[in-house]
Amino acid sequence: MSAGALDAFAADTLHVGVLIPGSKSDKGWMESGYDGLVAAQKELGPRLKTQMIENINYADMEQALTNLASKNELVIGVGGQTQAAVLKVAKRFPNVKFSIVGGSKGADMPPNVAGYDVKQAEIAYVAGAAAAMLSKTGAVSYVGGMEIPSIVNAGKEFGNGAHAINPNIKYFESYTGDFDNVSKAKEATVAAIAQGADVHYHILNLGLRGMEQAATEKHTHIIGSYTDRCGTDPLYIAYSITGVGYQVQYAIDQLAAGTWQPGYKAFGLAMGPKASGIAVCNGTPEMNAKLKQIEDDILSGKIKVSEG
């Protein structure tokens, strides 16, 4: 975007483009990101003008981001899978700000890019502990989408958290290679249930539908990700909060306040309960206290978890 185009924006109007690679109604990461956009719109009202593109596959992300960058002063990529394309497009639009929700540490970021690390491994450890407390069979499972470091680290730490509560717990971990593949997620969950798992965790988008189908058919339960939706579906007995929507709103609020900053920023437990936490839907006071102690121990460094 040219300087002249930027100058053309009304001083009191914010123009923000958002790329949601999956479905905004996936009950997962993408929906949480969309919820953050809706919250920002509600907060800022007509001052905020947004353009959203959803359901874009990896090969088309660069084109979608170019479209957004040509018309907006801030572009937000919802998901670490947008990072490579954001870093490339941002170099062509030096006057546009870019924020990546799920940005990873160590990336060579241009001076107009911010990467927000949700630190999924932290809360996955806590979710694993909750799963072990909630399991009646002494077996739990995890299904991830793409087998990339942040997703693998979350699976590893979910298992570590479960074993911290019950050293003898059985843990089944699998990856579908696709966040949106319903049949593969169902197949993986059915296989874990056949081996005794009765509580399941995930980092999936639309693939979650497959986990839901398996859990419904076999009368097991799910710990959901990203947003606390306790009370909306008895299939879910807990939720990990990873602040995807919170980070979308954070980027927009920073733009509105004139305080937007580029570079890597860690969120996670250190940024408070809106950024990261666990909600056990019918948790006992003892269970909640134990999980809070685990969170505190992660923050203090007493419990060490993987990056990402």
Side-chain angles (χ1 to χ4, degrees), residues 63-77:
Q63 183 179 344
L65 288 163
T66 299
N67 181 324
L68 293 172
S70 66
K71 301 170 185 174
N72 296 283
E73 58 194 299
L74 169 66
V75 174
I76 303 171

Side-chain angles (χ1 to χ4, degrees), residues 54-221:
E54 65 169 325
N55 286 319
I56 294 293
N57 63 41
Y58 193 82
D60 296 327
M61 281 184 195
E62 195 174 329
Q63 183 179 344
L65 288 163
T66 299
N67 181 324
L68 293 172
S70 66
K71 301 170 185 174
N72 296 283
E73 58 194 299
L74 169 66
V75 174
I76 303 171
V78 182
Q81 64 267 51
T82 69
Q83 180 159 298
V86 166
L87 296 180
K88 189 179 290 186
V89 172
K91 292 174 183 175
R92 302 207 306 266
F93 293 88
N95 294 321
V96 177
K97 298 174 174 67
F98 293 82
S99 290
I100 306 162
V101 175
S104 59
K105 192 174 186 178
D108 183 17
M109 292 185 183
N112 58 330
V113 177
Y116 304 150
D117 186 350
V118 300
K119 298 187 82 66
Q120 291 181 100
E122 283 186 350
I123 204 59
Y125 185 102
V126 184
M133 294 177 194
L134 293 164
S135 174
K136 293 180 170 61
T137 62
V140 299
S141 72
Y142 167 82
V143 179
M146 292 175 67
E147 201 167 348
I148 56 178
S150 61
I151 309 304
V152 173
N153 286 344
K156 171 187 169 185
E157 295 303 346
F158 178 80
N160 288 342
H163 282 114
I165 297 299
N166 176 4
N168 297 315
I169 202 162
K170 294 178 181 177
Y171 171 52
F172 307 101
E173 178 181 333
S174 58
Y175 300 87
T176 64
D178 185 334
F179 292 110
D180 295 314
N181 192 307
V182 175
S183 62
K184 285 185 178 180
K186 181 176 182 179
E187 182 182 316
T189 306
V190 167
I193 293 171
Q195 298 177 84
D198 65 341
V199 179
H200 321 293
Y201 188 57
H202 74 93
I203 296 184
L204 298 166
N205 296 335
L206 281 176
L208 176 59
R209 299 287 188 271
M211 180 176 280
E212 290 178 332
Q213 290 168 13
T216 298
E217 290 170 9
K218 302 296 184 180
H219 309 293
T220 58
H221 291 92

Side-chain angles (χ1 to χ4, degrees), residues 117-119 122-123 241 246 265-277 295-296 298-300:
D117 186 350
V118 300
K119 298 187 82 66
E122 283 186 350
I123 204 59
I241 298 152
Y246 173 74
K265 182 173 179 61
F267 280 72
L269 292 168
M271 286 288 283
K274 288 184 179 179
S276 187
E295 290 183 5
D296 290 345
I298 292 171
L299 278 172
S300 72

